[in-house]
Amino acid sequence: MPPPTAPNADAPLLASARRTLEIEGHAIQVLLGRLNESFVTACRLCLACSGRVVVTGMGKSGHIARKVASTLASTGTPAFFLHPAEAGHGDLGMITGTDLVIALSNSGETPEIVILLPHLKRLGVPLITLTGNPDSTLGHTAAAVLDVGVADEACPLNLAPTASTTAALAMGDALAVALLEARGFTKQAFADAHPGGNLGRRVLKLVEQVMRTGDAVPHVSSGTTLGEGLLEMSRKGLGMTVVVDDENRVLGVFTDGDLRRALDNQIDIHDTPMKQVMTQNPKSVRAQALATEAVNLMQRHRITALPVTDAQGRLIGALNVHDLLRAGVV
């Protein structure tokens, strides 16, 4: 049980949290006005790099640097984190002449990073720095300087890195996303870099791994009566039935929405053929498509089920939003 608190003791806690978020939000907002030629230069340097992007930083900046390196690597820019203190004890050998270095330092004077500068110059390795002090050793040395300085930290003592690390993280994300878009990085490429965990399952899973097949797929011919179509729809529990021709090509679908419209028009369910009440040219998906594409298709067109077709438009399966939920795709 939490310790008892005095009346109104919660208010200062909430006020502190609000102040922190306001300060850090402002720190990010300020960065918008600093997106200039230096940012473009940083992007061009990364795009031209034939080796790897080496990201480095000490202390809290080191933690942010690790995240920036990870984000770059997972979005199409080969990158890794190098601890600057370890670099001075042999790990400098990880950097080659084809690489590029991104250094994070709020002061721009971090000794463990400054000591690496002669080695980088000797190799001819370009340097990008994210710093709160452009007029610093790193600022004067770097080919591109991204100013991530903040007026105040969220820490009331103005000591603990808070707003400054948030600003550096946001600028690192901005760089990674700009490079992602410039490279034309695709969903499939993203999936290839995330094979494990929930994210991997969600991104990598194909429609054919989720869809229903065989007798579980609701389908009727175009001449089937509406009443028989409803029975098929009810038996299979997919929220729709697919209408196909003699060669199993998809002609249309019949859904709950189509049923409501048919009832509104007082259509005789025993005499009306499915071809008169179906929705023609329905949305469909291929078995080899990513399951996330099926999710996007459903969301975009506000539907809950899809037929799965082959290259000739023949019905080979079906799925609905519940199938995707069970598979952990959404």
Side-chain angles (χ1 to χ4, degrees):
M1 294 291 292
T5 57
N8 301 321
D10 294 346
L13 299 175
L14 294 172
S16 176
R18 290 191 186 97
R19 187 180 63 84
T20 297
L21 295 178
E22 287 171 356
I23 291 173
E24 297 198 358
H26 177 70
I28 294 175
Q29 195 70 26
V30 168
L31 297 181
L32 289 171
R34 299 179 186 166
L35 295 176
N36 51 28
E37 285 301 315
S38 289
F39 184 85
V40 174
T41 298
C43 291
R44 297 297 180 199
L45 287 170
C46 290
L47 292 169
C49 178
S50 60
R52 303 204 173 192
V53 174
V54 183
V55 191
T56 189
M58 275 295 293
K60 302 299 187 294
S61 292
H63 295 310
I64 301 302
R66 285 182 186 275
K67 196 275 180 183
V68 171
S70 177
T71 300
L72 288 168
S74 69
T75 54
T77 299
F80 66 90
F81 172 77
L82 174 64
H83 196 294
E86 296 294 342
H89 293 273
D91 284 1
L92 268 176
M94 295 180 179
I95 304 176
T96 71
T98 62
D99 295 334
L100 175 149
V101 171
I102 298 178
L104 280 72
S105 169
N106 190 42
S107 68
E109 301 291 349
T110 304
E112 293 88 349
I113 298 177
V114 170
I115 201 172
L116 306 181
L117 296 180
H119 178 73
L120 301 182
K121 186 174 182 179
R122 184 168 62 251
L123 284 176
V125 173
L127 173 67
I128 298 168
T129 186
L130 276 67
T131 181
N133 183 15
D135 189 23
S136 61
T137 301
L138 286 180
H140 290 305
T141 306
V145 180
L146 304 184
D147 184 356
V148 292
V150 298
D152 296 292
E153 299 286 4
C155 166
L157 304 176
N158 203 31
L159 294 174
T162 45
S164 59
T165 48
T166 298
L169 178 61
M171 186 64 83
D173 285 344
L175 181 63
V177 173
L179 295 174
L180 176 157
E181 294 186 356
R183 296 182 192 281
F185 196 69
T186 64
K187 286 184 179 180
Q188 183 59 57
F190 188 85
D192 291 341
H194 297 78
N198 290 332
L199 182 60
R201 285 197 300 275
R202 184 168 67 86
V203 177
L204 279 172
K205 191 153 290 185
L206 301 177
V207 167
E208 64 184 357
Q209 297 174 286
V210 179
M211 70 183 189
R212 306 183 193 193
T213 59
D215 291 338
V217 179
H219 64 286
V220 295
S221 66
S222 59
T224 301
T225 65
L226 173 54
E228 293 171 330
L230 289 174
L231 289 174
E232 174 72 355
M233 188 172 164
S234 177
R235 281 194 297 266
K236 304 300 172 63
L238 202 63
M240 74 165 183
T241 187
V242 187
V243 183
V244 297
D245 64 13
D246 294 339
E247 296 182 5
N248 210 37
R249 287 192 296 262
V250 174
L251 299 175
V253 296
F254 184 84
T255 67
D256 293 335
D258 295 309
L259 175 59
R260 286 191 295 272
R261 285 185 286 274
L263 294 176
D264 286 342
N265 293 327
Q266 298 183 341
I267 288 176
D268 188 336
I269 67 171
H270 300 295
D271 292 329
T272 304
M274 294 296 293
K275 62 184 177 183
Q276 289 187 18
V277 291
M278 70 182 184
T279 296
Q280 298 182 36
N281 302 315
K283 302 300 177 185
S284 63
V285 67
R286 295 287 182 84
Q288 291 73 36
L290 290 173
T292 50
E293 293 182 35
V295 174
N296 292 335
L297 194 60
M298 289 180 182
Q299 290 176 336
R300 194 161 60 249
H301 297 283
R302 297 183 179 181
I303 54 180
T304 58
L306 285 170
V308 183
T309 60
D310 63 14
Q312 288 72 44
R314 292 188 293 260
L315 181 68
I316 59 174
L319 77 166
N320 67 6
V321 67
H322 300 294
D323 299 321
L324 296 166
L325 282 167
R326 280 192 293 272
V329 178
V330 292

